[in-house]
Amino acid sequence: MKSTWKKALIWCSTIFLTLAAVIAFYFLLLNGSSIMRWFNSVLKSMASIWLGLGLAYVLDPLIQFGERKLREHNVNKTAARVLTLLAVLILIGFLLFLIISRLVPRLGETINSLLSDLPGVQDTINSYLNRVNEWNPDVYNIIINMISAATDWFNTNLYAAINTITQSFLGLVTGIVNLFVALIVLVYAQMSKERFIGQSKKLLYAVCHHKGAATWILDIFRQANLIFSGFITGKIIDSVIVGLICFPCLSILKIHYALLISVVIGITNVIPVFGPFIGAIPCGVLLLFTHPLEALVFAIYILILQQIDGNIIGPRILGDSTGVSAFWVIVSILLFSKLLGVVGMIVGVPIFATLYYIIKRIVEEELARQGLPTDSMDYVQLDKIDENGELIYLKEDSGKKKSIANRKSLKEHASSIKTTASALRTYVEKKRKK
């Protein structure tokens, strides 16, 4: 009797959960856009928390280094962490003070210089247009129509542009507030990180009844941590070095707007592969309209700098932190840039590298369980695996010989064509007789 009630209860629960899942799925289909807007608003409201957690994660190696040094001088763990956090906050405050007091005024001077050069840019553009008019009036008219359309569009959307500037200013104020809150989150996250780690592991082992599965998941998270920390921290250090190298070199080359260009190059260099071009193209266009010869010198210098960064500086700092080839790096950047925008271009590579590691580990564990090799190169010349699990490899040129042997000669082709034509002729004659 009890088993009958138990089965009935299980069936009722299954039916109820299935109906609930169907209703939930239908609700998601009907209200998907509103749910996504609500989800995005929640994420934006927690921007300071995400920023604080991100800073805590990025700065964790530096904080651990400071703690180890203080512990070597017999400072207890809590005091070492507090002193290290205090030193990090002072360092962040000093950098912000340096940026506000030194960098911002210099950037302001650079922007003012750029604005003062705009009349010269207009004269340069007019001289280019006059040359185009002398060369081909039709092309000149097309360009003039495009400029006129762009001007009309700008006048039409002037209110929207002013609104965007206002929103950007408000966003700057909000960003300062978020940064202040993020620093508080940074302190709390660092002071309680062992407790958070312990709670996460406790929850994992409570949910996963199979202890081997929980241990496997922990190993995956450890590897993901190595990939993310190695890549993101290394990329930030690499970008700072590139920016610091760029400014004095551009100053020596007497390139205008050296500070502004160096800041842009350093920031965009955080994006792998495409970052240098994203930063260099607008800077090169700016120099092309203001100082054309400097644009050529800048392009040559950026190519040299990126070769040095890609072949010397980057590999020294990053090493093989991702474990994926250049092809998959490009694929991950393109994929996650569509999903997460600029943030996806930065974190897409470590996310893809983690997924790649998980798939690779599952495949290699299954192959090892079957007693098969795990090295990919062992499968390049593989023909098949027989029933005994023995690997049968292709012989050299066997595929080529097989394809040549199967080819028909010209005589055989001619005979086949004659046979087909004869059959068609016989069929047509029979139809005519009928």
Side-chain angles (χ1 to χ4, degrees), residues 407-420:
R407 291 178 185 171
K408 294 181 179 180
S409 63
L410 292 175
K411 187 176 181 180
E412 290 173 337
H413 278 294
S415 176
S416 176
I417 292 171
K418 288 180 180 179
T419 303
T420 304

Side-chain angles (χ1 to χ4, degrees), residues 151-196:
T151 304
D152 294 339
W153 178 88
F154 179 77
N155 292 331
T156 304
N157 296 275
L158 182 60
Y159 177 77
I162 295 174
N163 186 41
T164 302
I165 295 172
T166 305
Q167 292 295 329
S168 300
F169 177 75
L170 295 176
L172 177 62
V173 176
T174 305
I176 295 173
V177 175
N178 287 338
L179 179 60
F180 179 75
V181 177
L183 293 177
I184 298 175
V185 174
L186 162 66
V187 174
Y188 277 104
Q190 279 293 329
M191 292 300 296
S192 306
K193 62 182 178 182
E194 287 84 3
R195 179 177 292 276
F196 292 152

Side-chain angles (χ1 to χ4, degrees), residues 5 43 49 53 65 102 130 144 192 257 262 294 299 336 399 415:
W5 276 104
L43 290 179
I49 296 177
L53 293 176
F65 175 78
R102 301 289 182 180
N130 292 331
I144 290 297
S192 306
Y257 326 119
S262 300
E294 291 183 7
F336 284 94
S415 176

Side-chain angles (χ1 to χ4, degrees), residues 51-65:
L51 179 60
L53 293 176
L55 288 174
Y57 183 78
V58 172
L59 295 174
D60 188 62
L62 178 62
I63 294 172
Q64 289 186 8
F65 175 78

Side-chain angles (χ1 to χ4, degrees), residues 24-59:
F25 182 71
Y26 180 73
F27 178 78
L28 288 174
L29 289 178
L30 290 179
N31 304 280
S33 58
S34 59
I35 291 174
M36 287 302 299
R37 285 195 297 269
W38 174 82
F39 186 71
N40 289 331
S41 65
V42 172
L43 290 179
K44 289 180 181 179
S45 65
M46 298 176 63
S48 56
I49 296 177
W50 300 126
L51 179 60
L53 293 176
L55 288 174
Y57 183 78
V58 172
L59 295 174

Side-chain angles (χ1 to χ4, degrees), residues 281-295:
I281 289 175
C283 295
V285 172
L286 172 64
L287 290 174
L288 180 64
F289 285 114
T290 55
H291 307 87
L293 184 60
E294 291 183 7

